[in-house]
Amino acid sequence: MACVHAQPAWALALAALGLVVSARAAARLALWLYAAFLRPAKPLRRRYGAWAVVTGATDGIGRALAFRLAAADLGVVLVGRSPDKLDAVAADLKSRRPGAQVRTFVLDFDADDVAAKVDALGEFLRGLDVGVLVNNVGRSYPYARYFHEVDEALARSLIRLNVEAVTRVTHAVLPGMLERGRGAIVNMGSGASAIMPSDPLYTVYVATKAYVDQFSRCLYVEYKSKGIDVQCQVPIQVATKLASIRKPTFLAPSPETYARAAVRYIGYEPRCTPYWGHALVWLLISLVPEPIADRMFLNRSVTIRAKGRAKEAKKKAQ
């Protein structure tokens, strides 16, 4: 009769650990698939309020989000620095969605009087049931450059648009949400600060987006119990002027494709990567050892810098 040997304790423990790890990975995959493709969007108007405010609403992600929020039956306040562009977006939105409520407010976040202008925006919004605030306005480098090559004007503009704007507008809109006991704040971060271990030659930009990430997380903890959902969305690349990408690709979707995913995520996780292609890239990056990833991103940025400097020199020579 064959003798059955008992497995050693360490082997059983290792097998049990493997099952736990596999089960956890399977659960996380299932949850991600559900969130990315099956989870329903929240009823934004009923849950948060009748109006949405979108900064940087005349181009790219901001413009696309304004259209998606209007499609969700929200009135939209478009905030931007160009009156002509604001009027054009408002007219386009109304033509595509007859009956849509649209208002515009001119605000240049790069101006010296930004504090007074944001106060005026707060007054403009007084009396509106603002349920959703999207802090989208921002800027990046014209092209990659070493930190010592970042001039005063660019550094000041990055801080004003990426840090001061989100801080001041949130401070202006949040009290109304507190009075009503509901609201959603969506701050546009970046995968450069939340996904990639580093993004060399874009140092100041990445640092400002890291501020947005932590600003959002702390507000989420502060105000969750008061009925206000705060979220930082961290896309990687979207085919916009900001990213200097003209044609959409799988890794750099169009603003409209990103906006469809972004609106579905409002009110859920405090930090998210709505577009599923970006989430896959996040996974791949996380598997690369940080020193190797750092070198890869440095080499990429150095190449971008060389092309940018050559293009700039050509313009000056003309």
Side-chain angles (χ1 to χ4, degrees), residues 107-145:
L107 202 166
D108 182 0
F109 289 102
D110 209 6
D112 292 333
D113 62 346
V114 64
K117 289 294 180 64
V118 174
D119 288 343
L121 173 63
E123 289 299 318
F124 180 79
L125 298 176
R126 192 178 300 278
L128 288 184
D129 181 16
V130 176
V132 178
L133 167 63
V134 180
N135 282 307
N136 168 76
V137 69
R139 73 165 300 178
S140 183
Y141 289 19
Y143 59 85
R145 59 191 67 187

Side-chain angles (χ1 to χ4, degrees), residues 187 211-221 230-232 270:
N187 298 325
Y211 171 88
V212 174
D213 189 23
Q214 277 301 307
F215 177 73
S216 304
R217 179 69 189 190
C218 292
L219 289 183
Y220 166 80
V221 176
V230 183
Q231 179 184 79
C232 182

Side-chain angles (χ1 to χ4, degrees), residues 178-200:
L178 281 172
E179 289 177 7
R180 294 182 291 273
R182 60 180 186 172
I185 299 172
V186 179
N187 298 325
M188 202 58 61
S190 172
S193 65
I195 296 174
M196 297 160 57
S198 69
D199 196 7

Side-chain angles (χ1 to χ4, degrees), residues 58-98:
T58 57
D59 293 295
I61 293 174
R63 184 181 188 278
L65 281 170
F67 277 76
R68 295 305 302 178
L69 291 167
D73 199 30
L74 293 175
V76 182
V77 178
L78 308 171
V79 181
R81 66 180 179 178
S82 169
D84 292 340
K85 286 186 177 182
L86 285 171
D87 290 343
V89 174
D92 191 13
L93 204 162
K94 289 178 181 179
S95 68
R96 296 191 193 188
R97 295 195 60 81

Side-chain angles (χ1 to χ4, degrees), residues 185-263:
I185 299 172
V186 179
N187 298 325
M188 202 58 61
S190 172
S193 65
I195 296 174
M196 297 160 57
S198 69
D199 196 7
L201 278 68
Y202 290 94
T203 299
V204 180
Y205 168 76
V206 176
T208 61
K209 288 301 184 178
Y211 171 88
V212 174
D213 189 23
Q214 277 301 307
F215 177 73
S216 304
R217 179 69 189 190
C218 292
L219 289 183
Y220 166 80
V221 176
E222 286 184 41
Y223 293 101
K224 180 67 176 176
S225 63
K226 303 181 187 302
I228 299 171
D229 294 321
V230 183
Q231 179 184 79
C232 182
Q233 295 196 359
V234 289
I236 298 180
Q237 287 187 322
V238 178
T240 64
K241 292 180 181 178
L242 179 69
S244 300
I245 300 174
R246 296 180 180 179
K247 294 183 179 180
T249 65
F250 168 71
L251 295 180
S254 68
E256 292 73 23
T257 297
Y258 178 81
R260 280 195 297 271
V263 169

